[in-house]
Amino acid sequence: MSREDFLKSLSVRNNDPKKYSGKKLDFNKLKGNVQKKIAVGLMVAIVITGFAGCARKAHEEPTVNTPATSQSTTIDEYDYLNSGDAILDDFKERYVEAYNEKNGTNYAPSQISVNLTHPNYLYETSDGKFITHGNTPYETEDVLDKYGDYKKTAASTGNIDLIQIINSRTDSPIETYATFFSENGYIASPVYSSKDLDSLLNDLKNPKDSTLEDLITACKVAIRAKESDKLTNSLKQEYINSFEEKTENDLEH
């Protein structure tokens, strides 16, 4: 190689140079890409936070919203039975309601009074009916002779408890009932009054159902409550039990 050729080989060749032209940057596209990446990052963070929150809730005790409860108060439905007079008035109301329904009458509680007496004896007919001797026992016996055989029956121990429901306007008995121990044992029976001798014979021949018989226990307690100096809780409860037990027995039958 000649010296001239060697020098030519060392010179830079510009006939086919490599071109390194850089591409122009699109800032709008770059901004969109960055926003997308940020959004994706936020979504990932939210999802992770959500899972973390669920995990915490799974380990938390459930909260029960218990409504506030108001203090309950007990109402005594028998609060009005606060005296002996109140108990006796209550009995009168119960009695006249039952009697009127059974007999088609219209007595008012204020129209009746309740009397308790202790006669020495009663008349008893051969068919088991009891009659008071009254103020004129001989005249009573004349009527009983027309009805049939009879005898005098006296209490063997203690007095006869004779309870009368009186029509206070006419002073005539509406119903009479007696309880006592006789030689035949304990007696609890309706009794016919000899006060109206004109109707006694007819009453004996045509007896009617007794209302007082069903309420005799309540009646006795009401009388005791009326006569007591002070109404006790036990006496009040005894009166309440007397008609509640009757109601239960009526339902059973």
Side-chain angles (χ1 to χ4, degrees), residues 167-203:
N167 183 340
S168 54
R169 295 180 180 177
T170 61
D171 197 31
S172 59
I174 298 173
E175 273 196 290
T176 306
Y177 200 89
T179 59
F180 60 95
F181 284 94
S182 72
E183 57 185 9
N184 297 321
Y186 181 71
I187 301 294
S189 173
V191 176
Y192 294 84
S193 174
S194 61
K195 189 165 187 178
D196 187 359
L197 293 176
D198 293 334
S199 63
L200 177 58
L201 185 59
N202 182 67
D203 293 341

Short mmCIF file of all heavy atoms in Angstrom, two decimals, residues 167-203:
data_model
loop_
_atom_site.label_atom_id
_atom_site.label_comp_id
_atom_site.label_asym_id
_atom_site.label_seq_id
_atom_site.Cartn_x
_atom_site.Cartn_y
_atom_site.Cartn_z
N ASN A 167 -134.38 -5.37 100.64
CA ASN A 167 -134.77 -4.22 99.83
C ASN A 167 -135.00 -3.07 100.80
O ASN A 167 -135.99 -3.03 101.53
CB ASN A 167 -136.04 -4.54 99.04
CG ASN A 167 -136.48 -3.41 98.13
OD1 ASN A 167 -136.08 -2.25 98.32
ND2 ASN A 167 -137.32 -3.72 97.16
N SER A 168 -134.08 -2.13 100.82
CA SER A 168 -134.12 -1.08 101.83
C SER A 168 -135.30 -0.12 101.64
O SER A 168 -135.68 0.60 102.57
CB SER A 168 -132.81 -0.28 101.81
OG SER A 168 -132.54 0.21 100.51
N ARG A 169 -135.92 -0.12 100.48
CA ARG A 169 -137.07 0.75 100.25
C ARG A 169 -138.34 0.17 100.85
O ARG A 169 -139.22 0.91 101.32
CB ARG A 169 -137.25 0.99 98.76
CG ARG A 169 -136.10 1.76 98.11
CD ARG A 169 -136.33 1.96 96.62
NE ARG A 169 -135.23 2.69 96.00
CZ ARG A 169 -135.15 2.95 94.70
NH1 ARG A 169 -136.13 2.54 93.88
NH2 ARG A 169 -134.12 3.60 94.21
N THR A 170 -138.44 -1.15 100.83
CA THR A 170 -139.66 -1.80 101.34
C THR A 170 -139.39 -2.56 102.64
O THR A 170 -140.33 -3.06 103.26
CB THR A 170 -140.22 -2.78 100.30
OG1 THR A 170 -139.25 -3.80 100.04
CG2 THR A 170 -140.55 -2.05 99.00
N ASP A 171 -138.11 -2.65 103.03
CA ASP A 171 -137.70 -3.39 104.22
C ASP A 171 -138.10 -4.87 104.15
O ASP A 171 -138.38 -5.50 105.18
CB ASP A 171 -138.27 -2.74 105.48
CG ASP A 171 -137.55 -3.21 106.74
OD1 ASP A 171 -136.35 -3.51 106.63
OD2 ASP A 171 -138.20 -3.30 107.81
N SER A 172 -138.15 -5.41 102.97
CA SER A 172 -138.51 -6.82 102.78
C SER A 172 -137.31 -7.59 102.25
O SER A 172 -136.50 -7.06 101.47
CB SER A 172 -139.68 -6.95 101.81
OG SER A 172 -139.35 -6.38 100.56
N PRO A 173 -137.14 -8.85 102.68
CA PRO A 173 -136.00 -9.65 102.24
C PRO A 173 -136.10 -10.01 100.74
O PRO A 173 -137.17 -10.36 100.25
CB PRO A 173 -136.09 -10.91 103.09
CG PRO A 173 -137.03 -10.59 104.19
CD PRO A 173 -137.97 -9.57 103.66
N ILE A 174 -134.98 -9.87 100.07
CA ILE A 174 -134.89 -10.33 98.68
C ILE A 174 -134.40 -11.77 98.67
O ILE A 174 -134.94 -12.62 97.96
CB ILE A 174 -133.92 -9.43 97.88
CG1 ILE A 174 -134.45 -8.00 97.83
CG2 ILE A 174 -133.72 -9.96 96.47
CD1 ILE A 174 -133.48 -7.01 97.20
N GLU A 175 -133.40 -12.04 99.48
CA GLU A 175 -132.89 -13.40 99.63
C GLU A 175 -132.36 -13.59 101.04
O GLU A 175 -131.89 -12.64 101.69
CB GLU A 175 -131.76 -13.68 98.64
CG GLU A 175 -132.21 -14.18 97.28
CD GLU A 175 -131.07 -14.79 96.51
OE1 GLU A 175 -130.17 -14.04 96.09
OE2 GLU A 175 -131.06 -16.02 96.35
N THR A 176 -132.38 -14.84 101.51
CA THR A 176 -131.87 -15.18 102.83
C THR A 176 -131.06 -16.47 102.71
O THR A 176 -131.41 -17.37 101.93
CB THR A 176 -133.01 -15.38 103.83
OG1 THR A 176 -133.85 -14.22 103.83
CG2 THR A 176 -132.48 -15.61 105.23
N TYR A 177 -129.98 -16.54 103.48
CA TYR A 177 -129.10 -17.72 103.42
C TYR A 177 -128.55 -17.98 104.81
O TYR A 177 -128.29 -17.05 105.58
CB TYR A 177 -127.96 -17.47 102.43
CG TYR A 177 -127.29 -18.73 101.93
CD1 TYR A 177 -127.76 -19.39 100.81
CD2 TYR A 177 -126.19 -19.25 102.60
CE1 TYR A 177 -127.15 -20.54 100.34
CE2 TYR A 177 -125.56 -20.39 102.14
CZ TYR A 177 -126.05 -21.03 101.01
OH TYR A 177 -125.45 -22.19 100.56
N ALA A 178 -128.38 -19.26 105.16
CA ALA A 178 -127.89 -19.62 106.49
C ALA A 178 -126.76 -20.62 106.41
O ALA A 178 -126.74 -21.50 105.53
CB ALA A 178 -129.02 -20.19 107.34
N THR A 179 -125.80 -20.48 107.31
CA THR A 179 -124.74 -21.48 107.49
C THR A 179 -124.62 -21.77 108.98
O THR A 179 -124.64 -20.86 109.81
CB THR A 179 -123.39 -20.96 106.96
OG1 THR A 179 -123.03 -19.77 107.66
CG2 THR A 179 -123.47 -20.66 105.46
N PHE A 180 -124.51 -23.05 109.31
CA PHE A 180 -124.39 -23.45 110.71
C PHE A 180 -124.07 -24.94 110.79
O PHE A 180 -124.15 -25.67 109.79
CB PHE A 180 -125.68 -23.15 111.49
CG PHE A 180 -126.89 -23.86 110.97
CD1 PHE A 180 -127.31 -25.07 111.50
CD2 PHE A 180 -127.64 -23.31 109.92
CE1 PHE A 180 -128.45 -25.72 111.02
CE2 PHE A 180 -128.77 -23.94 109.44
CZ PHE A 180 -129.17 -25.14 109.98
N PHE A 181 -123.70 -25.39 111.97
CA PHE A 181 -123.50 -26.81 112.23
C PHE A 181 -124.70 -27.35 112.98
O PHE A 181 -125.11 -26.81 114.01
CB PHE A 181 -122.22 -27.03 113.06
CG PHE A 181 -120.96 -26.89 112.26
CD1 PHE A 181 -120.30 -25.67 112.22
CD2 PHE A 181 -120.45 -27.97 111.56
CE1 PHE A 181 -119.13 -25.53 111.49
CE2 PHE A 181 -119.28 -27.84 110.82
CZ PHE A 181 -118.61 -26.62 110.78
N SER A 182 -125.26 -28.40 112.48
CA SER A 182 -126.40 -29.05 113.13
C SER A 182 -126.00 -30.46 113.52
O SER A 182 -124.85 -30.87 113.34
CB SER A 182 -127.60 -29.09 112.19
OG SER A 182 -127.39 -30.04 111.15
N GLU A 183 -126.95 -31.20 114.01
CA GLU A 183 -126.68 -32.60 114.38
C GLU A 183 -126.34 -33.45 113.15
O GLU A 183 -125.75 -34.52 113.26
CB GLU A 183 -127.90 -33.18 115.09
CG GLU A 183 -129.16 -33.10 114.26
CD GLU A 183 -130.39 -33.58 115.02
OE1 GLU A 183 -130.28 -33.81 116.23
OE2 GLU A 183 -131.45 -33.71 114.37
N ASN A 184 -126.69 -32.93 111.99
CA ASN A 184 -126.40 -33.65 110.74
C ASN A 184 -125.13 -33.16 110.06
O ASN A 184 -124.81 -33.58 108.95
CB ASN A 184 -127.57 -33.50 109.77
CG ASN A 184 -128.85 -34.14 110.31
OD1 ASN A 184 -128.81 -35.21 110.93
ND2 ASN A 184 -129.99 -33.48 110.09
N GLY A 185 -124.41 -32.23 110.73
CA GLY A 185 -123.19 -31.72 110.14
C GLY A 185 -123.34 -30.27 109.69
O GLY A 185 -124.25 -29.56 110.12
N TYR A 186 -122.45 -29.85 108.83
CA TYR A 186 -122.44 -28.46 108.39
C TYR A 186 -123.57 -28.23 107.40
O TYR A 186 -123.77 -28.99 106.45
CB TYR A 186 -121.10 -28.13 107.73
CG TYR A 186 -121.00 -26.70 107.25
CD1 TYR A 186 -120.90 -25.64 108.16
CD2 TYR A 186 -121.00 -26.41 105.89
CE1 TYR A 186 -120.80 -24.33 107.72
CE2 TYR A 186 -120.91 -25.10 105.45
CZ TYR A 186 -120.80 -24.06 106.37
OH TYR A 186 -120.71 -22.77 105.93
N ILE A 187 -124.29 -27.14 107.62
CA ILE A 187 -125.42 -26.78 106.76
C ILE A 187 -125.13 -25.43 106.11
O ILE A 187 -124.75 -24.47 106.78
CB ILE A 187 -126.74 -26.68 107.55
CG1 ILE A 187 -127.06 -28.01 108.25
CG2 ILE A 187 -127.89 -26.25 106.64
CD1 ILE A 187 -127.36 -29.15 107.31
N ALA A 188 -125.32 -25.37 104.82
CA ALA A 188 -125.26 -24.11 104.07
C ALA A 188 -126.42 -24.17 103.09
O ALA A 188 -126.41 -24.96 102.14
CB ALA A 188 -123.93 -23.96 103.35
N SER A 189 -127.40 -23.31 103.30
CA SER A 189 -128.62 -23.47 102.53
C SER A 189 -129.38 -22.16 102.39
O SER A 189 -129.35 -21.32 103.30
CB SER A 189 -129.54 -24.50 103.22
OG SER A 189 -130.79 -24.57 102.60
N PRO A 190 -130.09 -21.99 101.28
CA PRO A 190 -131.04 -20.87 101.17
C PRO A 190 -132.12 -21.03 102.24
O PRO A 190 -132.45 -22.14 102.65
CB PRO A 190 -131.62 -21.03 99.77
CG PRO A 190 -130.63 -21.86 99.02
CD PRO A 190 -130.02 -22.78 100.03
N VAL A 191 -132.66 -19.92 102.68
CA VAL A 191 -133.67 -19.91 103.73
C VAL A 191 -134.84 -19.04 103.26
O VAL A 191 -134.65 -18.00 102.64
CB VAL A 191 -133.09 -19.37 105.06
CG1 VAL A 191 -134.18 -19.26 106.12
CG2 VAL A 191 -131.95 -20.25 105.55
N TYR A 192 -136.06 -19.50 103.60
CA TYR A 192 -137.26 -18.73 103.27
C TYR A 192 -137.62 -17.84 104.45
O TYR A 192 -137.61 -18.27 105.60
CB TYR A 192 -138.43 -19.68 102.96
CG TYR A 192 -138.18 -20.49 101.71
CD1 TYR A 192 -137.44 -21.68 101.78
CD2 TYR A 192 -138.68 -20.10 100.48
CE1 TYR A 192 -137.20 -22.43 100.64
CE2 TYR A 192 -138.45 -20.85 99.33
CZ TYR A 192 -137.70 -22.01 99.42
OH TYR A 192 -137.46 -22.75 98.29
N SER A 193 -137.94 -16.60 104.14
CA SER A 193 -138.27 -15.65 105.19
C SER A 193 -139.76 -15.73 105.53
O SER A 193 -140.61 -15.83 104.65
CB SER A 193 -137.93 -14.23 104.74
OG SER A 193 -138.38 -13.29 105.69
N SER A 194 -140.02 -15.66 106.83
CA SER A 194 -141.42 -15.68 107.29
C SER A 194 -141.97 -14.27 107.46
O SER A 194 -143.07 -14.10 108.01
CB SER A 194 -141.52 -16.43 108.62
OG SER A 194 -140.75 -15.78 109.61
N LYS A 195 -141.24 -13.30 107.00
CA LYS A 195 -141.70 -11.92 107.19
C LYS A 195 -142.96 -11.64 106.39
O LYS A 195 -143.86 -10.91 106.84
CB LYS A 195 -140.59 -10.94 106.80
CG LYS A 195 -140.92 -9.50 107.17
CD LYS A 195 -139.71 -8.61 107.11
CE LYS A 195 -140.06 -7.23 107.64
NZ LYS A 195 -138.89 -6.32 107.66
N ASP A 196 -143.04 -12.22 105.20
CA ASP A 196 -144.24 -12.06 104.37
C ASP A 196 -144.96 -13.41 104.33
O ASP A 196 -144.73 -14.23 103.45
CB ASP A 196 -143.85 -11.60 102.97
CG ASP A 196 -145.06 -11.26 102.11
OD1 ASP A 196 -146.19 -11.41 102.62
OD2 ASP A 196 -144.86 -10.87 100.95
N LEU A 197 -145.82 -13.62 105.31
CA LEU A 197 -146.52 -14.91 105.40
C LEU A 197 -147.49 -15.14 104.26
O LEU A 197 -147.82 -16.27 103.93
CB LEU A 197 -147.26 -14.99 106.74
CG LEU A 197 -146.36 -15.06 107.98
CD1 LEU A 197 -147.21 -15.04 109.27
CD2 LEU A 197 -145.48 -16.30 107.95
N ASP A 198 -147.96 -14.07 103.62
CA ASP A 198 -148.91 -14.22 102.52
C ASP A 198 -148.27 -14.91 101.31
O ASP A 198 -148.96 -15.59 100.54
CB ASP A 198 -149.45 -12.85 102.09
CG ASP A 198 -150.32 -12.22 103.16
OD1 ASP A 198 -150.90 -12.96 103.97
OD2 ASP A 198 -150.41 -10.96 103.20
N SER A 199 -146.98 -14.73 101.15
CA SER A 199 -146.30 -15.32 100.00
C SER A 199 -145.46 -16.54 100.38
O SER A 199 -144.92 -17.21 99.50
CB SER A 199 -145.39 -14.28 99.32
OG SER A 199 -144.37 -13.86 100.21
N LEU A 200 -145.34 -16.86 101.68
CA LEU A 200 -144.47 -17.94 102.12
C LEU A 200 -144.87 -19.28 101.53
O LEU A 200 -144.03 -20.03 101.03
CB LEU A 200 -144.46 -18.01 103.65
CG LEU A 200 -143.63 -19.16 104.25
CD1 LEU A 200 -142.19 -19.08 103.80
CD2 LEU A 200 -143.74 -19.16 105.78
N LEU A 201 -146.15 -19.61 101.58
CA LEU A 201 -146.59 -20.91 101.08
C LEU A 201 -146.30 -21.05 99.59
O LEU A 201 -145.82 -22.10 99.12
CB LEU A 201 -148.09 -21.09 101.36
CG LEU A 201 -148.67 -22.46 100.99
CD1 LEU A 201 -147.96 -23.58 101.75
CD2 LEU A 201 -150.18 -22.49 101.27
N ASN A 202 -146.55 -19.99 98.86
CA ASN A 202 -146.28 -20.02 97.42
C ASN A 202 -144.78 -20.13 97.14
O ASN A 202 -144.36 -20.84 96.21
CB ASN A 202 -146.84 -18.76 96.76
CG ASN A 202 -146.63 -18.75 95.26
OD1 ASN A 202 -147.20 -19.56 94.53
ND2 ASN A 202 -145.79 -17.83 94.78
N ASP A 203 -143.98 -19.45 97.96
CA ASP A 203 -142.52 -19.52 97.78
C ASP A 203 -142.01 -20.94 98.04
O ASP A 203 -141.10 -21.42 97.33
CB ASP A 203 -141.82 -18.55 98.72
CG ASP A 203 -142.10 -17.09 98.36
OD1 ASP A 203 -142.52 -16.83 97.21
OD2 ASP A 203 -141.92 -16.23 99.24
#
